[in-house]
């Protein structure tokens, strides 16, 4: 049964977030609020947890998982970023954007795209997720919580618990999030391309 951790959306209780960190460190999958929608997260270096998260979402290794980072200083460890890309990321983070970048060797091969060797990277703005990342002390691997056969991400933590309580270790309930997905920006080609326009304002990208 998933632990249900009800936290304040702006000032989350540290003792409850510590419980969530412990679940992650034990290989658990946790549903968390983000500035766009709820997502599933797990420990980056836990192979079994990553495979379990893919099974829950029923996606294969060609589906981009996202590294949730606390700030841009963490991004440099996991993605190759030139000056042009860095200026773009700095202008748009933290926020509801996912950037597709070339992965460094620090990224386990099992979580990068198998052909392109790329990774989705994101610096979220949500206060709860920022605190969780700070307590965890490292990026988390994430995927938007969209049930199989549906197009919209789940937004109600009670519904998430009801539907996934036997599959995940915990739910951090910080109330409803936006239902709109992130804006996805592919930075790997000669030209930066908006792959999906979502909650993140493309005007901030200056493209």
């Amino acid at each position: 049964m998933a632990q249900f951790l009800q936290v304040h959306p702006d000032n989350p209780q540290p003792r409850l977030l510590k419980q969530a960190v412990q679940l992650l460190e034990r290989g658990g999958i946790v549903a968390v609020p983000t500035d766009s929608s709820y997502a599933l997260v797990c420990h980056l270096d836990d192979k079994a947890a990553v495979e379990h998260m893919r099974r829950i979402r029923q996606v294969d290794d060609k589906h981009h998982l996202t590294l949730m980072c606390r700030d841009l200083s963490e991004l440099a460890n996991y993605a190759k970023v030139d000056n042009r890309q860095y200026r773009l990321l700095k202008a748009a983070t933290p926020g509801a954007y996912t950037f597709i970048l070339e992965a460094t060797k620090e990224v386990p091969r099992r979580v990068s795209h198998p052909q392109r060797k790329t990774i989705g990277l994101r610096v979220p703005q949500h206060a709860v997720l920022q605190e969780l990342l700070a307590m965890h002390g490292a990026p988390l691997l994430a995927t938007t919580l969209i049930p199989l056969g549906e197009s919209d991400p789940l937004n109600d933590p009670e519904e998430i618990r009801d539907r996934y309580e036997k599959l995940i270790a915990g739910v951090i309930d910080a109330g409803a999030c936006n239902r709109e997905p992130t804006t996805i920006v592919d930075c790997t080609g000669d030209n930066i391309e908006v792959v999906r326009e979502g909650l993140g304002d493309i005007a901030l990208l200056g493209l």
Side-chain angles (χ1 to χ4, degrees):
M1 299 288 285
Q3 288 191 38
F4 198 67
L5 307 170
Q6 293 180 294
V7 303
H8 191 282
D10 300 316
N11 298 291
Q13 301 90 319
R15 63 179 180 82
L16 296 178
L17 292 186
K18 285 179 183 176
Q19 291 180 39
V21 169
Q22 290 169 355
L23 294 175
L24 292 165
E25 290 175 346
R26 293 198 294 264
I29 311 296
V30 178
V32 301
T34 80
D35 35 354
S36 58
S37 64
Y38 272 82
L40 297 177
V41 297
C42 73
H43 198 296
L44 170 63
D45 296 322
D46 191 322
K47 180 180 179 181
V50 174
E51 291 175 350
H52 182 44
M53 192 164 72
R54 287 190 187 276
R55 285 195 300 272
I56 293 171
R57 276 291 320 277
Q58 298 190 44
V59 294
D60 61 20
D61 62 357
K62 295 180 180 63
H63 178 86
H64 263 118
L65 299 175
T66 301
L67 271 181
M68 293 277 195
C69 297
R70 190 182 181 198
D71 56 35
L72 289 182
S73 67
E74 289 188 333
L75 284 176
N77 294 323
Y78 301 97
K80 298 177 182 178
V81 180
D82 62 24
N83 290 335
R84 178 189 62 155
Q85 293 165 340
Y86 184 81
R87 286 194 297 270
L88 178 67
L89 269 62
K90 189 173 181 180
T93 57
Y97 302 87
T98 300
F99 296 94
I100 307 300
L101 297 160
E102 185 180 354
T104 68
K105 293 181 180 179
E106 295 296 318
V107 178
R109 292 181 63 186
R110 64 180 175 275
V111 304
S112 61
H113 191 282
Q115 277 86 44
R116 299 180 64 200
K117 308 303 181 208
T118 53
I119 188 73
L121 289 156
R122 182 174 170 195
V123 180
Q125 196 166 24
H126 199 287
V128 172
L129 188 49
Q130 275 283 339
E131 285 298 316
L132 182 69
L133 287 166
M135 282 191 181
H136 179 61
L140 290 168
L141 199 62
T143 181
T144 304
L145 186 42
I146 304 174
L148 184 68
E150 300 181 27
S151 57
D152 294 326
L154 295 183
N155 188 45
D156 181 351
E158 296 273 2
E159 181 183 0
I160 294 170
R161 177 173 63 174
D162 290 345
R163 293 175 68 162
Y164 293 93
E165 64 181 355
K166 294 182 180 178
L167 296 173
I168 63 178
V171 179
I172 298 179
D173 173 11
C177 297
N178 289 294
R179 293 195 79 135
E180 194 171 355
T182 59
T183 293
I184 297 178
V185 185
D186 189 338
C187 300
T188 59
D190 292 333
N191 296 309
I192 294 172
E193 178 185 359
V194 176
V195 177
R196 180 184 71 196
E197 188 172 348
L199 186 61
D201 185 357
I202 61 171
L204 282 179
L205 303 174
L207 301 177

